[in-house]
């Protein structure tokens, strides 16, 4: 089970990954990584090393300048280590709900869903 602080970070990072545009390519890679990693956490109730690897592979980090990519890989692995582990059933259910709301807001701009997101985080 995630601690309260780690779970709050997971919720905040999930919302950021769906609703806040990246300022640059490096941040975009990080947001894609977080979206993939935390979506796996919501779906399966845990983050495994395989989830971290899949998230890294899908982030586009390899498309960056090699020097930047090396630094980003260190960062992404550290984030993966932080979120590695299992959520409680309640945490997984809340993260799934939050993810669905984020997808809805990103696709439609639904203000009611945005209000529900604010209540959850």
């Amino acid at each position: 089970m995630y601690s309260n602080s780690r779970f709050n970070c997971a919720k905040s990072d999930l919302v950021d990954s769906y609703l806040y545009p990246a300022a640059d390519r490096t941040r975009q890679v990080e947001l894609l990584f977080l979206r993939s990693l935390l979506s796996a956490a919501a779906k399966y109730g845990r983050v495994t090393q395989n989830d971290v690897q899949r998230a890294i592979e899908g982030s586009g980090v390899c498309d960056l300048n090699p020097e930047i990519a090396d630094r980003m890989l260190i960062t992404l692995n550290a984030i993966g280590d932080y979120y590695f582990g299992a959520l409680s059933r309640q945490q997984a259910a809340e993260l799934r709900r939050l993810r669905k709301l984020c997808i809805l807001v990103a696709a439609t701009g639904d203000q009611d869903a945005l209000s529900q997101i604010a209540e959850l985080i």
Side-chain angles (χ1 to χ4, degrees):
M1 183 168 110
Y2 280 14
S3 67
N4 285 339
S5 63
R6 185 164 52 149
F7 184 59
N8 287 334
C9 286
K11 292 189 300 184
S12 179
D13 281 346
L14 183 68
V15 170
D16 287 353
S17 74
Y18 276 98
L19 302 183
Y20 294 100
D24 57 37
R25 179 70 178 123
T26 315
R27 181 66 175 148
Q28 182 182 23
V29 165
E30 184 178 353
L31 291 174
L32 288 170
F33 170 80
L34 285 166
R35 182 182 299 174
S36 175
L37 188 70
L38 295 172
S39 291
K43 185 174 182 179
Y44 301 113
R46 69 189 182 296
V47 171
T48 66
Q49 191 58 46
N50 286 337
D51 296 324
V52 173
Q53 279 309 118
R54 276 193 296 277
I56 286 172
E57 290 166 5
S59 70
V61 70
C62 295
D63 299 334
L64 297 173
N65 169 306
E67 184 178 307
I68 294 171
D70 288 344
R71 285 195 309 256
M72 280 301 297
L73 283 170
I74 292 168
T75 299
L76 298 180
N77 275 301
I79 293 169
D81 288 346
Y82 180 72
Y83 285 124
F84 186 85
L87 288 83
S88 70
R89 285 186 175 165
Q90 181 181 356
Q91 288 172 332
E94 187 174 336
L95 207 59
R96 275 191 301 277
R97 181 169 179 247
L98 185 59
R99 181 178 175 265
K100 288 178 184 177
L101 290 168
C102 287
I103 291 169
L104 179 62
V105 170
T108 66
D110 185 297
Q111 292 300 303
D112 182 51
L114 191 59
S115 295
Q116 290 178 53
I117 289 170
E119 291 173 14
L120 286 172
I121 59 171

Coordinates of all heavy atoms in Angstrom, one line a residue, residues 28-80:
Q28 N 7.8 16.7 -21.8 CA 6.8 15.9 -22.5 C 7.2 14.4 -22.3 O 6.3 13.6 -22.1 CB 6.8 16.2 -24.0 CG 5.8 15.4 -24.8 CD 5.8 15.8 -26.3 OE1 6.8 16.3 -26.8 NE2 4.7 15.5 -26.9
V29 N 8.4 14.1 -22.4 CA 8.9 12.7 -22.2 C 8.5 12.3 -20.8 O 8.0 11.2 -20.5 CB 10.4 12.6 -22.4 CG1 10.9 11.3 -21.9 CG2 10.7 12.7 -23.9
E30 N 8.8 13.1 -19.8 CA 8.4 12.8 -18.4 C 6.9 12.6 -18.2 O 6.5 11.7 -17.5 CB 9.0 13.9 -17.5 CG 8.8 13.6 -16.0 CD 9.3 14.6 -15.1 OE1 10.0 15.6 -15.5 OE2 9.1 14.5 -13.9
L31 N 6.1 13.5 -18.8 CA 4.7 13.4 -18.7 C 4.1 12.1 -19.3 O 3.3 11.4 -18.8 CB 4.0 14.6 -19.2 CG 4.2 15.9 -18.4 CD1 3.6 17.1 -19.2 CD2 3.6 15.8 -17.0
L32 N 4.7 11.7 -20.5 CA 4.3 10.5 -21.2 C 4.6 9.3 -20.3 O 3.9 8.3 -20.2 CB 4.9 10.4 -22.5 CG 4.3 11.3 -23.6 CD1 5.2 11.3 -24.9 CD2 2.9 10.9 -23.9
F33 N 5.8 9.3 -19.7 CA 6.2 8.3 -18.8 C 5.3 8.1 -17.6 O 4.8 7.0 -17.3 CB 7.7 8.5 -18.3 CG 8.1 7.6 -17.2 CD1 8.6 6.4 -17.5 CD2 8.1 8.1 -15.9 CE1 9.0 5.5 -16.5 CE2 8.5 7.2 -14.9 CZ 9.0 5.9 -15.2
L34 N 5.0 9.3 -17.0 CA 4.1 9.2 -15.8 C 2.7 8.7 -16.2 O 2.1 8.0 -15.4 CB 4.0 10.6 -15.2 CG 5.2 11.1 -14.4 CD1 5.1 12.6 -14.1 CD2 5.3 10.3 -13.1
R35 N 2.2 9.2 -17.3 CA 0.9 8.8 -17.8 C 0.8 7.2 -17.9 O -0.1 6.6 -17.4 CB 0.5 9.4 -19.1 CG -0.9 9.0 -19.5 CD -1.3 9.7 -20.8 NE -1.2 11.1 -20.7 CZ -1.4 11.9 -21.8 NH1 -1.5 11.5 -23.0 NH2 -1.3 13.3 -21.6
S36 N 1.8 6.7 -18.6 CA 1.9 5.3 -18.8 C 2.1 4.5 -17.5 O 1.3 3.5 -17.2 CB 3.0 4.9 -19.7 OG 3.2 3.5 -19.9
L37 N 3.0 4.9 -16.6 CA 3.3 4.3 -15.4 C 2.1 4.3 -14.4 O 1.7 3.3 -13.9 CB 4.5 4.9 -14.7 CG 5.0 4.2 -13.5 CD1 5.7 2.9 -13.9 CD2 6.0 5.1 -12.8
L38 N 1.5 5.5 -14.3 CA 0.4 5.6 -13.3 C -0.9 5.0 -13.9 O -1.8 4.6 -13.1 CB 0.2 7.0 -12.9 CG 1.4 7.6 -12.1 CD1 1.3 9.0 -11.8 CD2 1.6 6.8 -10.8
S39 N -1.1 4.9 -15.2 CA -2.2 4.2 -15.8 C -2.1 2.7 -15.4 O -3.1 2.1 -15.1 CB -2.3 4.4 -17.3 OG -2.6 5.8 -17.5
A40 N -0.9 2.2 -15.5 CA -0.7 0.8 -15.1 C -1.0 0.6 -13.7 O -1.6 -0.4 -13.3 CB 0.8 0.4 -15.4
A41 N -0.6 1.5 -12.8 CA -0.9 1.4 -11.4 C -2.4 1.4 -11.2 O -2.9 0.6 -10.4 CB -0.3 2.6 -10.6
A42 N -3.1 2.3 -11.9 CA -4.6 2.3 -11.8 C -5.2 1.0 -12.3 O -6.1 0.5 -11.7 CB -5.1 3.5 -12.6
K43 N -4.7 0.5 -13.4 CA -5.3 -0.7 -14.0 C -5.0 -1.9 -13.2 O -5.9 -2.8 -12.9 CB -4.8 -0.8 -15.4 CG -5.4 -2.0 -16.2 CD -4.9 -2.0 -17.6 CE -5.6 -3.1 -18.4 NZ -5.2 -3.2 -19.8
Y44 N -3.8 -2.1 -12.7 CA -3.4 -3.4 -12.1 C -3.2 -3.3 -10.5 O -3.0 -4.3 -9.9 CB -2.1 -3.8 -12.7 CG -2.1 -4.1 -14.1 CD1 -1.4 -3.3 -15.0 CD2 -2.9 -5.1 -14.7 CE1 -1.5 -3.5 -16.4 CE2 -3.0 -5.3 -16.0 CZ -2.3 -4.5 -16.9 OH -2.4 -4.7 -18.2
G45 N -3.3 -2.0 -10.0 CA -3.1 -1.9 -8.6 C -1.7 -2.0 -8.1 O -1.5 -2.1 -6.9
R46 N -0.8 -1.9 -9.0 CA 0.6 -2.0 -8.6 C 1.5 -1.5 -9.7 O 1.1 -1.3 -10.9 CB 1.0 -3.4 -8.3 CG 1.0 -4.3 -9.5 CD 1.2 -5.8 -9.3 NE 1.3 -6.6 -10.5 CZ 0.3 -6.8 -11.3 NH1 -0.8 -6.1 -11.2 NH2 0.5 -7.5 -12.4
V47 N 2.8 -1.2 -9.4 CA 3.8 -0.8 -10.4 C 4.9 -1.8 -10.3 O 5.5 -2.0 -9.2 CB 4.3 0.6 -10.2 CG1 5.5 0.9 -11.1 CG2 3.2 1.6 -10.5
T48 N 5.2 -2.5 -11.4 CA 6.3 -3.5 -11.4 C 7.5 -2.9 -12.2 O 7.3 -1.9 -12.9 CB 5.8 -4.8 -12.0 OG1 5.5 -4.6 -13.4 CG2 4.6 -5.4 -11.3
Q49 N 8.6 -3.6 -12.2 CA 9.7 -3.2 -13.0 C 9.4 -3.3 -14.5 O 9.8 -2.5 -15.2 CB 10.9 -4.1 -12.7 CG 12.2 -3.6 -13.3 CD 12.6 -2.2 -12.8 OE1 12.5 -1.9 -11.6 NE2 13.0 -1.3 -13.7
N50 N 8.6 -4.3 -14.9 CA 8.1 -4.3 -16.3 C 7.3 -3.1 -16.7 O 7.4 -2.6 -17.8 CB 7.3 -5.6 -16.5 CG 8.2 -6.8 -16.6 OD1 9.4 -6.8 -16.9 ND2 7.6 -8.0 -16.3
D51 N 6.5 -2.6 -15.7 CA 5.7 -1.4 -16.0 C 6.6 -0.2 -16.2 O 6.4 0.6 -17.1 CB 4.7 -1.1 -14.8 CG 3.7 -2.2 -14.7 OD1 3.2 -2.7 -15.7 OD2 3.3 -2.4 -13.5
V52 N 7.7 -0.1 -15.4 CA 8.6 1.0 -15.5 C 9.3 0.9 -16.9 O 9.4 1.9 -17.6 CB 9.7 0.9 -14.4 CG1 10.8 2.0 -14.6 CG2 9.0 1.1 -13.0
Q53 N 9.7 -0.3 -17.3 CA 10.4 -0.5 -18.6 C 9.5 -0.1 -19.7 O 9.9 0.6 -20.7 CB 10.9 -1.9 -18.7 CG 12.2 -2.1 -18.0 CD 13.3 -1.1 -18.3 OE1 13.8 -0.4 -17.5 NE2 13.7 -1.0 -19.6
R54 N 8.2 -0.6 -19.7 CA 7.3 -0.2 -20.7 C 7.0 1.3 -20.8 O 6.9 1.8 -21.9 CB 6.0 -1.0 -20.5 CG 6.0 -2.4 -21.1 CD 4.6 -3.0 -21.1 NE 4.0 -3.2 -19.8 CZ 4.2 -4.2 -19.0 NH1 5.0 -5.2 -19.4 NH2 3.6 -4.2 -17.8
A55 N 6.9 1.9 -19.6 CA 6.7 3.3 -19.6 C 7.9 4.1 -20.2 O 7.7 5.1 -20.9 CB 6.4 3.8 -18.2
I56 N 9.1 3.6 -19.9 CA 10.3 4.3 -20.4 C 10.3 4.1 -22.0 O 10.6 5.1 -22.7 CB 11.6 3.7 -19.8 CG1 11.7 4.2 -18.4 CG2 12.8 4.0 -20.6 CD1 12.8 3.6 -17.6
E57 N 10.0 2.9 -22.4 CA 10.1 2.6 -23.9 C 9.0 3.4 -24.6 O 9.3 3.9 -25.7 CB 9.8 1.1 -24.1 CG 11.0 0.3 -23.7 CD 10.7 -1.2 -23.6 OE1 9.6 -1.6 -24.0 OE2 11.6 -2.0 -23.2
G58 N 7.9 3.7 -24.0 CA 6.8 4.5 -24.6 C 6.9 6.0 -24.5 O 6.1 6.7 -25.0
S59 N 7.9 6.4 -23.7 CA 8.0 7.9 -23.4 C 8.6 8.7 -24.5 O 8.5 9.9 -24.5 CB 8.8 8.1 -22.1 OG 10.2 7.7 -22.3
G60 N 9.4 8.0 -25.4 CA 10.1 8.8 -26.4 C 11.5 9.3 -26.0 O 12.1 10.1 -26.7
V61 N 12.0 8.8 -24.8 CA 13.2 9.2 -24.3 C 14.4 8.9 -25.3 O 15.3 9.7 -25.4 CB 13.5 8.6 -22.9 CG1 13.8 7.2 -23.0 CG2 14.7 9.4 -22.3
C62 N 14.2 7.9 -26.1 CA 15.3 7.5 -27.0 C 15.4 8.5 -28.2 O 16.4 8.5 -28.9 CB 15.1 6.1 -27.5 SG 15.3 4.9 -26.2
D63 N 14.4 9.3 -28.4 CA 14.4 10.3 -29.5 C 15.1 11.5 -29.1 O 15.3 12.4 -29.9 CB 12.9 10.6 -29.9 CG 12.2 9.4 -30.4 OD1 12.9 8.4 -30.9 OD2 11.0 9.4 -30.3
L64 N 15.5 11.7 -27.8 CA 16.2 12.9 -27.4 C 17.7 12.8 -27.7 O 18.2 11.7 -28.0 CB 16.0 13.0 -25.9 CG 14.6 13.2 -25.3 CD1 14.7 13.1 -23.8 CD2 14.1 14.5 -25.8
N65 N 18.3 13.9 -27.7 CA 19.8 14.0 -27.8 C 20.4 13.0 -26.8 O 19.9 12.9 -25.6 CB 20.2 15.4 -27.4 CG 21.7 15.6 -27.2 OD1 22.3 14.9 -26.4 ND2 22.2 16.6 -27.9
P66 N 21.4 12.2 -27.2 CA 21.9 11.1 -26.3 C 22.3 11.6 -24.9 O 22.1 10.9 -23.9 CB 23.1 10.6 -27.1 CG 22.7 10.8 -28.5 CD 22.0 12.2 -28.5
E67 N 22.9 12.7 -24.8 CA 23.3 13.2 -23.5 C 22.1 13.5 -22.6 O 22.1 13.2 -21.4 CB 24.2 14.5 -23.7 CG 24.7 15.0 -22.4 CD 25.6 16.2 -22.6 OE1 26.5 16.1 -23.4 OE2 25.3 17.2 -21.9
I68 N 21.1 14.1 -23.2 CA 19.9 14.4 -22.5 C 19.1 13.1 -22.1 O 18.6 13.0 -21.0 CB 19.0 15.4 -23.2 CG1 19.7 16.8 -23.4 CG2 17.6 15.6 -22.6 CD1 19.0 17.7 -24.3
A69 N 19.1 12.2 -23.1 CA 18.4 10.9 -22.9 C 19.0 10.2 -21.7 O 18.3 9.6 -20.9 CB 18.5 10.1 -24.2
D70 N 20.3 10.2 -21.6 CA 21.0 9.5 -20.5 C 20.6 10.1 -19.2 O 20.3 9.3 -18.2 CB 22.5 9.6 -20.6 CG 23.1 8.7 -21.7 OD1 22.3 7.8 -22.2 OD2 24.2 8.9 -22.1
R71 N 20.5 11.4 -19.1 CA 20.1 12.0 -17.8 C 18.6 11.7 -17.5 O 18.2 11.5 -16.4 CB 20.3 13.5 -17.9 CG 21.7 13.9 -17.7 CD 21.9 15.4 -17.4 NE 21.2 16.3 -18.4 CZ 21.7 17.0 -19.4 NH1 23.0 16.9 -19.5 NH2 21.0 17.7 -20.2
M72 N 17.8 11.7 -18.6 CA 16.4 11.5 -18.5 C 16.1 10.0 -18.0 O 15.2 9.8 -17.2 CB 15.6 11.7 -19.8 CG 15.3 13.2 -20.0 SD 14.3 14.0 -18.7 CE 12.8 13.0 -18.8
L73 N 16.9 9.1 -18.5 CA 16.8 7.7 -18.1 C 17.0 7.5 -16.6 O 16.3 6.8 -15.9 CB 17.7 6.8 -18.9 CG 17.2 6.5 -20.3 CD1 18.4 5.8 -21.1 CD2 16.0 5.7 -20.3
I74 N 18.0 8.3 -16.1 CA 18.2 8.2 -14.6 C 17.0 8.8 -13.9 O 16.6 8.2 -12.9 CB 19.5 9.0 -14.3 CG1 20.7 8.3 -14.9 CG2 19.6 9.3 -12.8 CD1 22.0 9.1 -14.9
T75 N 16.5 9.9 -14.4 CA 15.3 10.5 -13.7 C 14.1 9.6 -13.8 O 13.4 9.4 -12.8 CB 15.0 11.9 -14.4 OG1 16.1 12.7 -14.3 CG2 13.7 12.5 -13.8
L76 N 13.8 9.0 -15.0 CA 12.7 8.2 -15.1 C 12.8 6.9 -14.3 O 11.8 6.5 -13.7 CB 12.5 7.8 -16.6 CG 12.2 9.0 -17.6 CD1 12.0 8.5 -19.0 CD2 11.0 9.8 -17.1
N77 N 14.0 6.3 -14.2 CA 14.1 5.2 -13.3 C 13.9 5.5 -11.9 O 13.4 4.7 -11.1 CB 15.5 4.5 -13.6 CG 15.5 3.6 -14.7 OD1 14.7 2.6 -14.7 ND2 16.3 3.8 -15.7
A78 N 14.4 6.7 -11.5 CA 14.2 7.1 -10.1 C 12.7 7.3 -9.8 O 12.2 6.9 -8.7 CB 14.9 8.4 -9.8
I79 N 11.9 7.9 -10.7 CA 10.5 8.0 -10.6 C 9.9 6.7 -10.5 O 9.0 6.4 -9.6 CB 9.9 8.9 -11.7 CG1 10.4 10.3 -11.6 CG2 8.4 8.8 -11.6 CD1 10.1 11.2 -12.9
G80 N 10.3 5.8 -11.4 CA 9.8 4.4 -11.3 C 10.0 3.7 -10.0 O 9.1 3.0 -9.5

